[in-house]
Amino acid sequence: MARRRAKSKTLSFQKIQRSTKMLPELPKDLVEEILCRVTATSLNRLRTTCRAWNRLIEDDRRFATKHLEKAPKAFIPLMLRKEYRVFPFSVNLHRDDPSVVFKRGVKLLYRLSNYRFRIDRVFHCDGLLLCTSDENESRIVVWNPFTRETRWIEAGLKRRDFTFLLGYSQVTSSKSYKILSFLSGRNDSEIYDLNSDSWRRLLDHDHSLELTVRYAGHSVSLKGNIYRFHGEETGTKSLLRFDFATEKSEILPLPYQCDSYDAKILSVVGEDRLSVLLKRCRKGSKTEIWVTNGIDDTTKAVSWTKVLALNLSRDLQITDRGSFLLDEEKKVAQICERWFDNGDDESYNSDMLYVVGEGKKDLITVYEVPDIRVCWPAILNYVPSFAQIKLAGGKRKRELPHNLLLPAGKCQCGDYVFREVMMKESLPEWINWQKKSVHVLGFGVLNKYLPDQSSAFNFDPVNNPQEILKQSSSVLFV
Amino acid sequence: MSSSKKSSDGKSSEIEEAVASLTMPFNKILLTSSDGESFEIDEAVARKFQIIAHMIEDDCAGKAIPIDNVTGDILSKIIEYAKKHVVEPDEDEDEEAKKKLDSWDAKFVEKLDLETIFKIILAANYLNFEGLLGFASQTVADYIKDKTPEEVREIFNIENDFTPEEEEAIRKENAWTFNG
């Protein structure tokens, strides 16, 4: 299929008057050909056209994959701030009054009222955010803030410190989203498949994965593959690419070899290129941003082009823990860093957004951003999509909240006596109050000797629901 | 490209076609629209239409191919596009050529009304001309992306099967999503 897009010139046809019969009627598949080329944000608005369109946009995996491929991509810079919200933002470079404008944010839905999932790291792929926590948490979550779907995944407490990265393997038009889980120095890397909801070991043990640099933040996803800085004994000199289709990794070169860097940060530009920010550990070294050629399945070799070389003062403290976005057209980059002021007695931390570009002064503007850096990366280039993460299966099938899972065989009279009265807002989102439909999940068998029902109910996430359930009163499923 | 209208006398046009097919050089193909217009095109151009490429492969192309589902005016536009796009310039290697082609495409579509574009989509689908189908679909997509659902219903002749409450609920749910 030709990958070009029509320039956005308006058609000069006449205003449509009312005999709608004037336009030939297009069959469903041709209407889909058109719809899959409408940008995600606009298509979302057109959901209310009719039920069939709404279903197509919301439920159809095949359409979502097609849309991901064909629609012009909207790149939306997102900033991750406290309270686990994501905010689209834009930088206004007006010379007299540069500012950063934040638009309305969206929060990760919590499944249960009392429970909070503290997001520490976020990994973006295809409009999906894989969120992991740094707390004693056995679950990870894949979240599509655009469709507001979430998929909670049981990773197990043993994988608590592991790195989790999201990607996909694609066979013709069907994408299979997968999560790679590993830890430096260990050899039990595993892959989780979202379709089959299961974990398994990597087919061949991969030494290269063990050697990747510690910070989970130094990874990006591009066309379903994962790219990370690769650490060797003599320091980081290359990139590692992990391919979910072959489940093998490959080493790729960085722009140049260097023993150590003050800063090295990975990012993605456009749909198919990597970008890296490098600053050597040498006095007077410039901060450079390099971009690769377009990378796709047919690319033989990765080549780098230097896009920016800036003299940024050491005061800016750009380190490995920063994140950046590159605007190629304007040759401007936005770098987000945590800034430590150790000068005075009180140390003062703040988060800074630097907008930099080549010019008389390489630093264009500094913006102090309150309340970020609760999670990493602070900023990323988000591409909204309708990527589907629900468990495949019948339309009515929904994922049960993990804490209410009851293995059927264990259900005996007296064992599961449990009740929770939940406020509307805290119900898992698969009960749609607007549709006022009722899903019957199951029923409980009550023991005639009910314990005291006045004990306060506290919903803690545990791996073993039986323990919690034994302590409480009757089961009520809605 | 030669175009000859069907004469009122059915017989003579048949003879015309027979003569044309005998005297045409090997690598030219004659397409006839549903309303009798004929177009002589190079085989390379005709191959852009997968339906014809398959016929050529299977050796049943003959020299004159009737295109029953497409009228002359639409077929002529499609052929015009196909001729321009016989060789697609590589984006990386020849940026200049690509820009020129993109600019030609934009002008090509600017003059067309929506009805014609819909007909082109239907015809390109029938002929299995992927490049034009994609381009025309993208054109319509760019057009409708700023329209309201009501306007879009008019364009596609769709009935609104939502109740006002349902419509409002969906609209509210999606109101914030990264818009504007």
Side-chain angles (χ1 to χ4, degrees):
Chain A
M1 180 77 74
R3 296 191 53 148
R4 297 173 294 110
R5 318 228 145 89
K7 305 243 187 263
S8 55
K9 285 205 173 1
T10 44
L11 297 171
S12 58
F13 54 82
Q14 308 83 3
K15 213 172 190 186
I16 299 169
Q17 288 122 7
R18 259 1 343 213
S19 162
T20 49
K21 304 289 184 215
M22 197 161 94
L23 284 176
E25 185 131 344
L26 294 179
K28 205 167 97 149
D29 59 334
L30 292 183
V31 174
E32 264 188 46
E33 279 295 318
I34 295 173
L35 290 183
C36 75
R37 290 175 166 84
V38 180
T39 55
T41 43
S42 307
L43 194 56
N44 211 24
R45 243 185 342 96
L46 294 177
R47 276 178 185 241
T48 51
T49 303
C50 66
R51 285 187 195 274
W53 283 28
N54 190 37
R55 252 198 315 272
L56 185 72
I57 293 167
E58 194 172 62
D59 266 342
D60 195 321
R61 271 171 198 257
R62 185 195 41 88
F63 177 78
T65 308
K66 205 166 171 190
H67 182 268
L68 263 164
E69 262 171 72
K70 303 229 164 109
K73 301 228 174 351
F75 293 99
I76 298 178
L78 273 197
M79 191 175 283
L80 303 154
R81 296 174 62 177
K82 96 168 183 183
E83 287 169 14
Y84 323 113
R85 286 174 188 264
V86 296
F87 290 88
F89 73 96
S90 64
V91 176
N92 172 1
L93 285 181
H94 197 270
R95 289 277 156 183
D96 297 331
D97 182 23
S99 58
V100 177
V101 176
F102 289 98
K103 306 192 187 125
R104 200 163 141 210
V106 64
K107 186 160 112 168
L108 172 62
L109 290 176
Y110 299 125
R111 294 196 73 97
L112 304 154
S113 55
N114 294 340
Y115 176 59
R116 298 197 163 280
F117 183 87
R118 199 191 121 107
I119 305 178
D120 172 56
R121 298 239 139 95
V122 160
F123 189 79
H124 170 243
C125 168
D126 268 9
L128 302 172
L129 298 177
L130 171 63
C131 305
T132 52
S133 173
D134 58 351
E135 294 192 331
N136 202 21
E137 177 59 62
S138 65
R139 297 184 300 167
I140 58 180
V141 59
V142 177
W143 177 32
N144 185 335
F146 188 61
T147 60
R148 267 138 328 109
E149 257 183 9
T150 55
R151 169 86 176 261
W152 292 83
I153 297 163
E154 188 64 52
L157 282 173
K158 67 177 165 76
R159 294 198 188 91
R160 216 168 50 222
D161 297 322
F162 277 48
T163 300
F164 294 93
L165 302 171
L166 176 66
Y168 61 83
S169 61
Q170 181 161 12
V171 177
T172 57
S173 61
S174 117
K175 272 188 185 173
S176 225
Y177 290 102
K178 300 185 175 152
I179 298 175
L180 176 67
S181 151
F182 65 94
L183 187 59
S184 286
R186 287 173 65 132
N187 65 353
D188 54 356
S189 315
E190 287 179 295
I191 287 194
Y192 175 82
D193 186 330
L194 265 81
N195 280 344
S196 63
D197 186 21
S198 60
W199 292 92
R200 63 169 163 80
R201 283 284 169 92
L202 270 189
L203 297 173
D204 291 317
H205 169 55
D206 197 330
H207 281 286
S208 311
L209 275 181
E210 288 179 48
L211 297 173
T212 52
V213 175
R214 255 228 115 100
Y215 285 130
H218 289 121
S219 320
V220 292
S221 164
L222 188 67
K223 302 247 169 183
N225 298 331
I226 290 174
Y227 294 82
R228 279 172 74 76
F229 283 117
H230 187 243
E232 301 154 31
E233 291 86 33
T234 48
T236 306
K237 292 208 176 126
S238 48
L239 285 184
L240 179 113
R241 161 164 66 203
F242 182 81
D243 184 335
F244 277 97
T246 58
E247 291 188 9
K248 295 221 177 305
S249 52
E250 198 188 321
I251 305 291
L252 302 169
L254 280 175
Y256 53 79
Q257 302 291 294
C258 170
D259 279 343
S260 67
Y261 301 96
D262 267 344
K264 55 183 185 296
I265 311 174
L266 258 185
S267 180
V268 169
V269 176
E271 301 177 39
D272 59 352
R273 279 165 304 155
L274 292 175
S275 172
V276 69
L277 182 151
L278 295 172
K279 185 175 184 306
R280 275 178 267 212
C281 252
R282 247 191 266 152
K283 223 180 178 180
S285 250
K286 289 197 175 187
T287 306
E288 301 166 334
I289 296 186
W290 296 72
V291 175
T292 61
N293 49 339
I295 299 179
D296 63 21
D297 295 328
T298 62
T299 311
K300 299 283 179 229
V302 166
S303 67
W304 297 87
T305 315
K306 197 191 307 195
V307 171
L308 289 177
L310 310 160
N311 277 313
L312 298 176
S313 93
R314 283 201 97 99
D315 291 341
L316 293 191
Q317 294 180 8
I318 296 174
T319 68
D320 280 1
R321 308 206 74 175
S323 48
F324 80 96
L325 302 180
L326 174 67
D327 182 333
E328 268 194 301
E329 257 178 60
K330 303 195 192 117
K331 297 239 182 255
V332 156
Q334 296 156 10
I335 309 174
C336 196
E337 269 291 353
R338 167 145 283 191
W339 191 69
F340 295 93
D341 181 355
N342 293 318
D344 305 341
D345 289 322
E346 313 164 355
S347 70
Y348 165 74
N349 302 335
S350 177
D351 296 303
M352 300 299 209
L353 182 67
Y354 305 121
V355 180
V356 299
E358 281 168 357
K360 268 204 305 219
K361 292 189 312 170
D362 282 342
L363 176 65
I364 297 175
T365 183
V366 178
Y367 186 81
E368 190 172 332
V369 184
D371 304 329
I372 60 165
R373 276 317 237 19
V374 177
C375 52
W376 198 102
I379 53 180
L380 58 91
N381 232 350
Y382 179 72
V383 180
S385 81
F386 297 106
Q388 306 268 320
I389 49 180
K390 295 190 283 233
L391 273 169
K395 261 194 227 165
R396 300 256 169 235
K397 185 173 178 184
R398 296 279 191 263
E399 193 187 33
L400 286 176
H402 287 257
N403 294 49
L404 290 179
L405 278 174
L406 291 180
K410 304 240 168 161
C411 210
Q412 292 165 32
C413 183
D415 271 356
Y416 296 97
V417 182
F418 164 100
R419 171 178 45 192
E420 185 190 27
V421 175
M422 294 189 274
M423 300 302 289
K424 183 171 76 173
E425 289 78 36
S426 66
L427 272 177
E429 69 270 16
W430 41 263
I431 294 184
N432 188 329
W433 284 96
Q434 284 147 349
K435 289 198 184 131
K436 296 189 178 63
S437 61
V438 169
H439 302 268
V440 177
L441 296 179
F443 56 92
V445 179
L446 300 182
N447 187 333
K448 57 183 175 171
Y449 305 111
L450 289 173
D452 179 10
Q453 297 188 30
S454 64
S455 51
F457 185 72
N458 201 10
F459 224 74
D460 288 323
V462 285
N463 283 335
N464 194 352
Q466 287 91 315
E467 292 306 310
I468 278 286
L469 292 171
K470 275 186 184 155
Q471 297 160 20
S472 322
S473 23
S474 56
V475 175
L476 176 69
F477 289 102
V478 172
Chain B
M1 160 173 119
S2 61
S3 166
S4 49
K5 284 260 178 254
K6 195 177 198 167
S7 56
S8 46
D9 180 356
K11 256 198 187 163
S12 63
S13 72
E14 269 179 39
I15 295 173
E16 267 183 318
E17 273 182 28
V19 169
S21 64
L22 285 173
T23 54
M24 225 159 26
F26 186 75
N27 58 348
K28 291 236 182 252
I29 307 254
L30 191 74
L31 299 181
T32 314
S33 71
S34 60
D35 50 0
E37 257 191 87
S38 298
F39 304 89
E40 186 188 64
I41 54 177
D42 289 338
E43 185 180 313
V45 177
R47 278 179 174 275
K48 297 292 270 182
F49 314 141
Q50 283 300 306
I51 196 179
I52 295 181
H54 289 144
M55 286 169 79
I56 296 176
E57 300 299 327
D58 294 343
D59 225 8
C60 52
K63 294 303 171 191
I65 301 177
I67 311 286
D68 296 329
N69 287 14
V70 186
T71 55
D73 55 342
I74 301 294
L75 191 55
S76 86
K77 285 264 167 251
I78 292 181
I79 289 174
E80 193 188 337
Y81 185 90
K83 282 182 166 177
K84 261 304 189 171
H85 283 256
V86 172
V87 178
E88 297 277 6
D90 192 328
E91 187 145 1
D92 290 329
E93 287 172 15
D94 198 348
E95 230 184 282
E96 188 61 43
K98 187 142 184 347
K99 279 204 187 121
K100 276 177 99 175
L101 195 54
D102 282 347
S103 155
W104 185 91
D105 285 349
K107 288 208 189 74
F108 174 76
V109 94
E110 225 178 12
K111 305 182 222 146
L112 303 176
D113 64 5
L114 198 56
E115 186 188 347
T116 308
I117 299 197
F118 270 41
K119 288 184 179 163
I120 287 179
I121 289 181
L122 286 163
N125 184 48
Y126 172 71
L127 292 169
N128 202 344
F129 184 3
E130 268 196 58
L132 180 54
L133 180 60
F135 176 64
S137 303
Q138 183 67 61
T139 306
V140 179
D142 290 339
Y143 173 64
I144 64 172
K145 74 173 195 257
D146 293 323
K147 297 272 166 287
T148 65
E150 183 52 51
E151 289 169 311
V152 168
R153 283 183 206 124
E154 282 223 18
I155 295 173
F156 291 98
N157 198 15
I158 296 175
E159 206 182 294
N160 182 8
D161 50 358
F162 280 123
T163 67
E165 297 84 32
E166 288 170 326
E167 206 177 320
E168 185 55 35
I170 297 179
R171 209 201 325 267
K172 265 171 80 175
E173 247 183 60
N174 295 292
W176 67 271
T177 46
F178 299 111
N179 276 333

